[in-house]
């Protein structure tokens, strides 16, 4: 799906400098509480990455992608690490599908990554989804809004949960996504950031919604959606399975991060992206009866008789120019070999008997039609192409 949208793959190290990760946000749970720090090596403090965006932005500058055509459209698939209580849908090592547009400020990119996320989830069979959307402003309008929010919550402080009391001065935005029962009654009257955006953020916000409308994407405006990481500006969004709520269930989430490059010490550079939780998506596919292994492991299987391993390997080697090929080297009955070929989902079977092998011929069987023909080894690749 990322390739269809013109994105190129990037791979960055699983280990990053602790300092880079901390710049993503020390008020963030994934950094403050859940980080796997490594024992110091020489002068470097290192950690296992809790998320990929900080590393992708670093690599964009260090690898010179900022000198290429802008913006850079990148995707990354790989493991992330967060130390939390493991439970279904929340793992200490989990896999993300990340999509990032770096060097693009237009609202078109916000809508594009949202459409890509939706397309990806649809493509794997997940149709019943809920998209939640919000804007959290930028460094121009957010400080004044945060003051309003503090002013609103200060008289209520003693009635808030202890954790929320701590957040009130340090990170008041997080009061809005508090999941604690005790905090809920106060949210409804809290000032909404989308009512206090500066002109530029307001224009961006309405352009993103207009683009999503024209793409036919349905979304719910959620003024309490603020996201767990500190680097977001303007657009933030999360995809949930229909019916579910609560951060634990988000299948994919992201937003714009126009201040992240600068926070890492690079020239100011806008960016927007998301990460999908592959483990959660696969869990849901399996629960919905989707065949998680939809692709055959090999298109062609070679089933040699007796001692024909050398010949089977040779035939497989030539066929690999056109198809994926697996060989059954196990000394088992033809019946057992055919069963194995069926389980792999192979489209063709190449049967090698010692009689045929002497003449360099094989039997080629089409598993769908059942049709079987004799083919010279040299002609197999062209027959399979
Ligand atoms: P995040 O919301 O922390 O954002 O994680 C993105 C997705 O990863 C979540 O929606 C969820 O599906 C999955 N996920 C997170 N933690 C776990 C876990 N412990 N076990 C299983 N799945 C999990 C980010 O990481 C941002 N870097 C996304 C982003 C990219 N924003 C802009 N660009």
């Amino acid at each position: 799906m990322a390739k269809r949208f013109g994105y190129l793959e990037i791979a960055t190290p699983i280990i990053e400098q602790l300092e880079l990760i901390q710049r993503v946000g020390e008020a963030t749970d994934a950094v403050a509480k859940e980080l796997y720090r490594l024992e110091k090596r020489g002068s470097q403090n290192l950690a296992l990455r809790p998320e990929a965006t900080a590393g992708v932005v670093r690599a964009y500058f260090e690898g010179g992608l900022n000198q290429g055509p802008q913006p850079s459209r990148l995707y990354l698939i790989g493991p992330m690490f967060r130390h939390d209580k493991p439970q279904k849908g929340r793992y200490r090592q989990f896999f993300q599908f990340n999509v990032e547009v770096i060097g693009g400020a237009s609202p078109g990119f916000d809508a594009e990554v949202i459409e890509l996320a939706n397309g990806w989830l649809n493509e794997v069979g997940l149709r019943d989804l809920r998209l939640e959307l919000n804007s959290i402003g930028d460094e121009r309008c957010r400080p004044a809004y945060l003051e309003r929010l503090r002013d609103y919550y200060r008289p209520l402080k003693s009635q808030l949960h202890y954790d929320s009391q701590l957040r009130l001065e340090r990170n008041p935005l997080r009061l809005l996504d508090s999941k604690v029962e005790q905090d809920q009654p106060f949210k409804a009257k809290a000032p909404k950031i989308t009512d206090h955006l500066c002109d530029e953020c307001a224009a961006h916000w309405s352009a993103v919604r207009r683009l999503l409308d024209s793409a036919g994407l349905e979304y719910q405006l959620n003024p309490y959606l603020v996201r767990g990481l500190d680097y977001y500006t303007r657009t933030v969004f999360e995809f949930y399975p229909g019916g579910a709520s609560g951060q634990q269930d988000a299948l994919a989430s992201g937003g714009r991060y126009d201040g992240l490059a600068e926070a890492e010490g690079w020239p100011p550079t806008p960016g927007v992206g998301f990460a999908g939780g592959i483990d959660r998506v696969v869990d849901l596919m399996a629960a919905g009866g989707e065949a998680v292994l939809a692709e055959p492991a090999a298109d062609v299987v070679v089933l040699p008789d007796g001692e024909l391993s050398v010949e089977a390997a040779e035939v497989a080697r030539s066929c690999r120019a056109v198809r994926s090929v697996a060989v059954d080297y196990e000394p088992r009955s033809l019946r057992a070999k055919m069963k194995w070929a069926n389980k792999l989902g192979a489209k063709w079977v190449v049967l090698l008997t010692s009689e045929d092998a002497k003449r360099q011929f094989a039997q080629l069987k089409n598993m769908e039609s059942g049709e079987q023909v004799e083919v010279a080894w040299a002609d197999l690749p062209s027959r399979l192409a």
Side-chain angles (χ1 to χ4, degrees), residues 68-83:
Q70 296 304 305
S72 276
R73 287 181 159 92
L74 304 167
Y75 76 93
L76 176 148
I77 297 170
M80 310 295 152
F81 305 85
R82 297 180 192 179
H83 183 91

Side-chain angles (χ1 to χ4, degrees), residues 51 53 82 89 91 94 96 100 227 231-232 250-251 253 273 277:
E51 63 97 50
T53 310
R82 297 180 192 179
Y91 308 107
F94 57 99
Q96 279 186 348
E100 314 286 1
R227 305 276 301 123
Y231 51 58
Y232 290 106
L251 297 172
S253 35

